[in-house]
Amino acid sequence: MPKLGQRVSGLCEESVEQQAYITRFLLDYTAVPLLGQIFLRGVLPTRDAVRIVAGAADAVAPNTLIAYEIPLVDDDDEPVTAPLALGWTRTLVSSSPPSSDASVMGMSLVRVDTSAVEPAPPVRTDQGLRILRTLAWPAIETPPSPVLCGFLFTGQDSMRLYFAVEEAGVIAANVRLTGALTALLAALPTLVREEERWTADETDPHCVHTIDLTAW
């Protein structure tokens, strides 16, 4: 398990690929409930784990969100699959969150002992999404670069995107959800690599630098 204050710096290619895979798999649950009225509000990359952030559909205030830290490998040292991470998260949000003295970015942080949590089985919606995702978004041999390995909704019109940038580490880009999105999306791969835009954010241990593109 990573230490709470441990900042993501050097990149492990296998970890980044797995974090990106889990992020892609879970994206639909920003619009489809994880369970009841609980939705996915973020996936934060950290060393050897992902922090799955859950809350109400429009929740952005840190004190209304809970981050569940799930290791990237199981007890047999095998990579954790995205459906398994989803199953564990569903079980966790189905009951009152366990008490935790830890927090990250103002959110309550629950480190998950996966050996003690029974994953919830898939629901019919999961199977439908699996079929649609496979047909509409087939696997590609060459992933995008830099790869998106996490995100967090930070406001009603803003979010933070986490990119794994070669030789630099994880760069977090703050963007608006409105405006010239087509131009921004096309420019993002270049913008996140421009070192003159990088700044530090000591409140976010999931990245080494941030860039502010909310006014871009």
Side-chain angles (χ1 to χ4, degrees):
M1 287 285 189
K3 295 179 180 178
L4 180 58
Q6 192 171 29
R7 185 169 294 275
V8 175
S9 53
L11 296 177
C12 170
E13 184 175 350
E14 290 184 1
S15 293
V16 167
E17 288 178 358
Q18 194 176 0
Q19 288 162 344
Y21 148 64
I22 291 174
T23 297
R24 287 194 303 270
F25 183 90
L26 294 178
L27 285 179
D28 295 306
Y29 298 94
T30 59
V32 176
L34 289 165
L35 187 73
Q37 299 300 310
I38 305 298
F39 289 75
L40 177 74
R41 302 302 291 160
V43 179
L44 300 172
T46 190
R47 193 175 299 279
D48 302 323
V50 291
R51 292 170 175 165
I52 297 177
V53 181
D58 58 353
V60 291
N63 63 353
T64 64
L65 301 171
I66 299 176
Y68 297 95
E69 184 174 290
I70 295 176
L72 292 177
V73 295
D74 60 20
D75 290 341
D76 297 321
D77 209 31
E78 292 294 325
V80 164
T81 66
L84 190 54
L86 172 62
W88 280 325
T89 304
R90 275 217 181 97
T91 297
L92 293 162
V93 302
S94 67
S95 58
S96 299
S99 58
S100 174
D101 295 329
S103 65
V104 62
M105 299 173 69
M107 297 176 284
S108 178
L109 175 65
V110 176
R111 287 197 172 95
V112 181
D113 178 2
T114 55
S115 65
V117 179
E118 186 68 26
V123 298
R124 200 169 300 173
T125 300
D126 298 336
Q127 305 298 68
L129 287 172
R130 179 181 178 184
I131 292 171
L132 295 173
R133 190 186 298 115
T134 301
L135 295 174
W137 194 2
I140 55 175
E141 290 186 7
T142 305
S145 178
V147 65
L148 179 71
C149 57
F151 68 95
L152 180 68
F153 287 99
T154 54
Q156 299 305 324
D157 186 37
S158 61
M159 69 189 307
R160 176 166 284 196
L161 306 171
Y162 294 85
F163 294 96
V165 177
E166 303 86 347
E167 299 181 1
V170 176
I171 308 297
N174 296 319
V175 301
R176 285 190 301 141
L177 305 181
T178 55
L181 285 181
T182 300
L184 174 63
L185 291 172
L188 263 173
T190 299
L191 294 174
V192 297
R193 290 187 170 95
E194 294 178 352
E195 296 184 24
E196 63 272 17
R197 295 182 181 271
W198 295 352
T199 59
D201 183 349
E202 296 302 324
T203 68
D204 189 346
H206 307 100
C207 60
V208 290
H209 302 293
T210 64
I211 60 172
D212 184 7
L213 300 176
T214 55
W216 190 85

